[in-house]
Amino acid sequence: PPGKKVLIVYAHQEPKSFNGSLKSIAEEELSKQGCSVTVSDLYAMQFEPRTTRNDIVGCLHNSEEFKYVVEAREAYKRGALSNDIIEEQKKVQEADLLIFQFPLYWFSMPAIMKGWVDRVFVPGFAFELPKHYDSGLLKNKLALFSFTTGGSKEVYTKGGMSGDIRYILWPMQHGIMHFCGIKVLAPHICFAPDYASEKERKEMLTAWAQRLKTLWKEEPINCSPEWYFE
């Protein structure tokens, strides 16, 4: 619906890639609906994935011993995080929906995207114990993981070599998003586009465009472990 804000966090090196096409389709389709869409193109931004002393501007809370989680929390409180982190936090803060678009690397997100999470979702901003899971600080937001795999759909089943694809989603959807209070829409998975025919690839792209048309009507998945492991 018009007025909704979407942040696409995108990790692929090549704009002409299949992931690049999925990202562009989301951008076009959601803009057409009157949403305002922002893209964080992590490779193009040369986003720094490492959590270092450089993330804190000025003096440290404890100069004797550097503990990132403590320093990041304190720096967030006093507005002393580095500019690139503050920029991304603003985008997250404003977004109603976060779409993560990436190729699956080693059963997970690419390092540059994981680094984005590590640096942007700092305590005080994304959660503050005991405010986590349903009371996480980013509640009232939605997230959707849209990704491609190397293996076929059969490989990622309970009886398959890699196990149920849902097991792989547990750390990302539950351990990051739900932990911070974000509700999760069903993932959008394009299995093995590299091995698909041109026709099949087109169909995958069309299916994504179709889904986006009614995305705002979707209910989030059940946040319990059962969704992943039953």
Side-chain angles (χ1 to χ4, degrees), residues 110-163:
I112 197 166
M113 184 177 271
K114 176 57 165 55
W116 182 91
V117 173
D118 291 349
R119 294 181 65 227
V120 175
F121 282 19
V122 301
F125 172 71
F127 67 94
E128 189 58 273
L129 300 176
K131 291 186 175 163
H132 63 322
Y133 290 118
D134 292 339
S135 59
L137 301 179
L138 299 178
K139 53 182 185 293
N140 307 326
K141 295 187 189 300
L142 291 169
L144 190 164
F145 286 88
S146 170
F147 61 96
T148 58
T149 66
S152 67
K153 195 169 186 171
E154 295 67 54
V155 175
Y156 293 105
T157 54
K158 269 204 173 105
M161 187 63 98
S162 296

Side-chain angles (χ1 to χ4, degrees), residues 195-206:
Y195 302 102
S197 68
E198 202 44 49
K199 180 173 176 287
E200 289 166 329
R201 286 163 71 97
K202 280 216 172 74
E203 282 164 2
M204 286 183 197
L205 296 174
T206 307

Side-chain angles (χ1 to χ4, degrees), residues 20 42 64 84 105 113 120 154 174 177 225 230:
L42 302 181
E64 297 303 303
D84 60 341
Y105 278 12
M113 184 177 271
V120 175
E154 295 67 54
H174 190 80
M177 296 301 138
E230 287 306 302

Side-chain angles (χ1 to χ4, degrees), residues 2 5 8 15 28 31 40-41 54 57 80 87 91 97 111 156 161-162 168 171 176 189 198 207 213 218-219 230:
K5 293 195 168 167
I8 302 175
E28 280 161 35
S31 300
S40 285
D41 181 341
N54 298 338
V57 176
E87 279 301 295
K91 296 177 194 174
L97 166 67
Y156 293 105
M161 187 63 98
S162 296
I168 291 169
I176 301 172
I189 309 162
E198 202 44 49
K213 287 188 197 319
E218 291 185 18
E219 285 298 315
E230 287 306 302

Side-chain angles (χ1 to χ4, degrees), residues 166-176 223-225 228-229:
R166 292 185 179 200
Y167 303 157
I168 291 169
L169 288 158
W170 169 255
M172 297 188 274
Q173 291 188 160
H174 190 80
I176 301 172
C223 279
S224 69
Y228 300 89
F229 301 109

